[in-house]
Amino acid sequence: MRLVDSHAHIYSEKFKDDQTEAVAKAAEAGVDKIYMPNIDHTSIDAMLETEAAFPGQCIAMMGLHPTSVTKDFERELYLVEEWLSKRPFAAVGECGIDLYWDKTFLPQQQEALKVQLELAKKHKLPIVLHTRDSFDETYELVAAAQDGTLRGIFHCFSGTQEQAAKVKELNFLMGIGGVATFKNGGLDKVLPHVALDDLVLETDCPYLAPVPHRGKRNEPAYIPLVLKRVAELTQKSEEEVADATTKNALNLFKL
């Protein structure tokens, strides 16, 4: 089975000592593409170095994470725009709104997302959305910007059946990761009602490791654990889930 990790911070400091081994383990587990979202200016070098070290396996996006948005976010966005015009990236991301940690810069987060939605349209790229405690706020801005050309992923989807329907209406995909394996993650009530055509798999490593590794460092090699749980909840075979989610990811990301 060919698998894709559609969202992995494999360039993180958490992989400083064993990044090569982690990428090799992922390949052994069938994960032959790992898409890397950017955070801000501090993560670009490590991300691009990882991409260069594992060509064709680790593939970079470019964007500004909402938790890095502060009062001077324009400076960060200029850098994002500069990079997007300089070379190819798989997507704009990760970007969006995060109201879990701090609501202080919500207006700035909203403005930063609006700018990145326009950049995605300008560069004809998909957009990868972070929506922690902010699905409605993010959805509203994406829906307003949707002109029929926007595509992307609501990363780390853990919402309701109604929210899943809204994602589908936008012609976006849902990124499903370790939360699907959590006892109280909530996706057991949603995934049975969702089509495989609307899903991609992800780890968000080094965060949100699936059971039985919950609380430890996550890594792309754990994608098969997510695959297994999605297969159980959708009552499909693992092969069907692998084929569909891999096809969805590769169709979305042109790189």
Side-chain angles (χ1 to χ4, degrees):
M1 289 186 292
R2 287 185 71 206
L3 296 167
V4 169
D5 187 343
S6 65
H7 196 108
H9 303 274
I10 190 71
Y11 57 82
S12 160
E13 274 283 304
K14 301 280 187 184
F15 293 97
K16 180 177 60 175
D17 298 326
D18 66 341
Q19 186 188 61
T20 299
E21 292 86 343
V23 173
K25 272 173 66 182
E28 285 166 22
V31 182
D32 59 8
K33 297 245 180 256
I34 300 168
Y35 290 91
M36 304 181 294
N38 189 49
I39 301 296
D40 56 31
H41 76 278
T42 66
S43 56
I44 294 173
D45 286 350
M47 180 180 68
L48 295 183
E49 283 165 14
T50 300
E51 185 184 59
F54 307 100
Q57 278 182 288
C58 298
I59 303 158
M61 308 178 199
M62 180 51 62
L64 175 62
H65 194 288
T67 60
S68 292
V69 172
T70 59
K71 59 186 178 186
D72 60 349
F73 71 96
E74 291 97 341
R75 194 179 310 166
E76 289 277 1
L77 284 181
Y78 287 141
L79 193 56
V80 167
E81 190 162 11
E82 186 182 338
W83 272 106
L84 285 170
S85 63
K86 204 170 359 183
R87 50 146 284 174
F89 287 93
V92 174
E94 88 188 80
C95 54
I97 297 174
D98 189 307
L99 299 180
Y100 177 80
W101 295 108
D102 188 359
K103 299 177 176 66
T104 307
F105 296 108
L106 174 58
Q108 289 88 347
Q109 287 189 35
Q110 290 168 318
E111 187 58 33
L113 176 55
K114 286 180 191 174
V115 170
Q116 289 176 94
L117 286 163
E118 292 308 312
L119 286 173
K121 289 195 279 192
K122 176 183 175 182
H123 293 279
K124 298 181 171 57
L125 289 173
I127 190 162
V128 173
L129 300 165
H130 175 108
T131 62
R132 193 168 188 190
D133 283 7
S134 63
F135 178 89
D136 292 339
E137 292 84 353
T138 307
Y139 170 83
E140 186 181 313
L141 293 179
V142 178
Q146 180 60 284
D147 60 358
T149 65
L150 267 177
R151 295 184 68 213
I153 299 170
F154 277 72
H155 139 68
C156 197
F157 183 81
S158 56
T160 63
Q161 200 175 328
E162 181 187 7
Q163 289 171 334
K166 286 184 170 184
V167 173
K168 184 177 177 66
E169 282 168 20
L170 284 176
N171 199 28
F172 272 60
L173 300 167
M174 285 165 272
I176 306 298
V179 172
T181 70
F182 297 173
K183 186 178 178 183
N184 298 312
L187 287 174
D188 57 318
K189 297 175 181 66
V190 177
L191 287 177
H193 308 285
V194 171
L196 294 183
D197 287 347
D198 301 321
L199 305 178
V200 289
L201 304 181
E202 62 172 54
T203 59
D204 198 19
C205 72
Y207 317 106
L208 295 173
V211 174
H213 305 288
R214 189 174 182 181
K216 298 176 183 173
R217 186 191 75 174
N218 200 1
E219 57 182 272
Y222 295 160
I223 281 282
L225 295 169
V226 179
L227 169 75
K228 184 175 184 228
R229 183 60 174 153
V230 172
E232 288 169 359
L233 292 174
T234 57
Q235 296 190 310
K236 305 288 186 185
S237 70
E238 291 184 28
E239 289 76 12
E240 284 177 285
V241 176
D243 288 348
T245 56
T246 296
K247 184 182 82 172
N248 295 342
L250 296 180
N251 282 346
L252 182 71
F253 298 124
K254 298 308 179 190
L255 289 185

